[in-house]
């Protein structure tokens, strides 16, 4: 069964949105495999967003992800990688369709509440990076 890595970013945790966001994935029918609240080192943040290291906003992105606790999760289900991305909505909440997480809970492209893996290769890479072989159900 397909698995993806989702992370509620520091803005979502700080604003108390963990429960509402998890409820959406539970109601959809996806299965929670593992989850943890954690602070993120710069090293982990830089590895996670390695593909973006040449972007002008890379420094701000790493500053933001390391600014407070995040809620890291592994979810499982049919086509969970692409369906979770659809449920999240476009990167910029201003472009996200109503009913998506980013449209309903966020207003800025930097503080857009949630991350989701964008391909099977990145899902595997991110699960390994964030959960490092920890026992998972
Ligand atoms: P994520 O990887 O967080 O799930 P995404 O895949 O929709 O988001 P990416 O292109 O991977 O988008 O960008 C990663 C993150 O970098 C975005 O979620 C956003 O917070 C930030 N970001 C992207 N583009 C910009 C931008 N133009 N200005 C500022 N921040 C940006
Ligand atoms: Mg991305």
């Amino acid at each position: 069964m397909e698995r993806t890595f989702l992370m509620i970013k520091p803005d979502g945790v700080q604003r108390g949105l963990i429960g509402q966001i998890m409820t959406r994935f539970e109601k959809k029918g996806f299965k929670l495999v593992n989850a943890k609240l954690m602070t993120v080192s710069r090293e982990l943040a830089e590895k996670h967003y390695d593909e973006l290291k040449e972007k002008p906003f890379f420094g701000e992105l790493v500053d933001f992800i390391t600014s407070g606790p995040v809620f890291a999760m592994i979810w499982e289900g049919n086509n969970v990688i692409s369906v979770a991305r659809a449920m999240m909505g476009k990167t910029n909440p201003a472009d996200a369709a109503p009913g998506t997480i980013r449209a309903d809970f966020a207003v800025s492209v930097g503080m857009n509440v949630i991350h989701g893996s964008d391909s099977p290769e990145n899902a595997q890479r991110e699960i390994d990076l964030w959960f490092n072989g920890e026992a998972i159900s």
Side-chain angles (χ1 to χ4, degrees):
M1 187 69 80
E2 189 170 280
R3 290 183 171 182
T4 195
F5 172 72
L6 303 181
M7 173 190 45
I8 303 177
K9 297 181 180 182
D11 56 331
V13 173
Q14 197 273 330
R15 292 169 58 209
L17 299 176
I18 294 174
Q20 291 181 70
I21 291 171
M22 291 185 80
T23 296
R24 290 187 179 214
F25 293 105
E26 288 178 331
K27 281 184 172 172
K28 178 69 178 171
F30 292 134
K31 181 184 163 218
L32 182 64
V33 175
N34 204 344
K36 57 183 173 184
L37 190 69
M38 59 185 284
T39 50
V40 183
S41 66
R42 289 195 80 82
E43 186 191 4
L44 176 57
E46 286 171 2
K47 277 191 191 153
H48 174 74
Y49 281 124
D50 186 60
E51 288 173 350
L52 301 175
K53 63 173 180 270
E54 305 303 333
K55 300 279 186 192
F57 56 82
F58 183 71
E60 272 174 63
L61 181 58
V62 171
D63 287 347
F64 172 57
I65 291 297
T66 57
S67 68
V70 304
F71 195 68
M73 302 169 280
I74 300 170
W75 287 85
E76 182 176 278
N78 285 341
N79 299 313
V80 67
I81 298 169
S82 61
V83 174
R85 294 274 297 183
M87 290 169 68
M88 289 160 50
K90 293 249 173 77
T91 307
N92 188 341
D95 301 327
T100 62
I101 292 166
R102 285 166 169 167
D104 291 354
F105 296 126
V107 293
S108 90
V109 67
M111 298 165 91
N112 61 2
V113 172
I114 187 167
H115 161 81
S117 306
D118 60 9
S119 67
E121 296 70 31
N122 276 335
Q124 191 58 58
R125 185 182 76 86
E126 292 168 7
I127 287 169
D128 292 343
L129 181 63
W130 289 79
F131 284 88
N132 194 24
E134 286 164 44
I136 47 184
S137 62

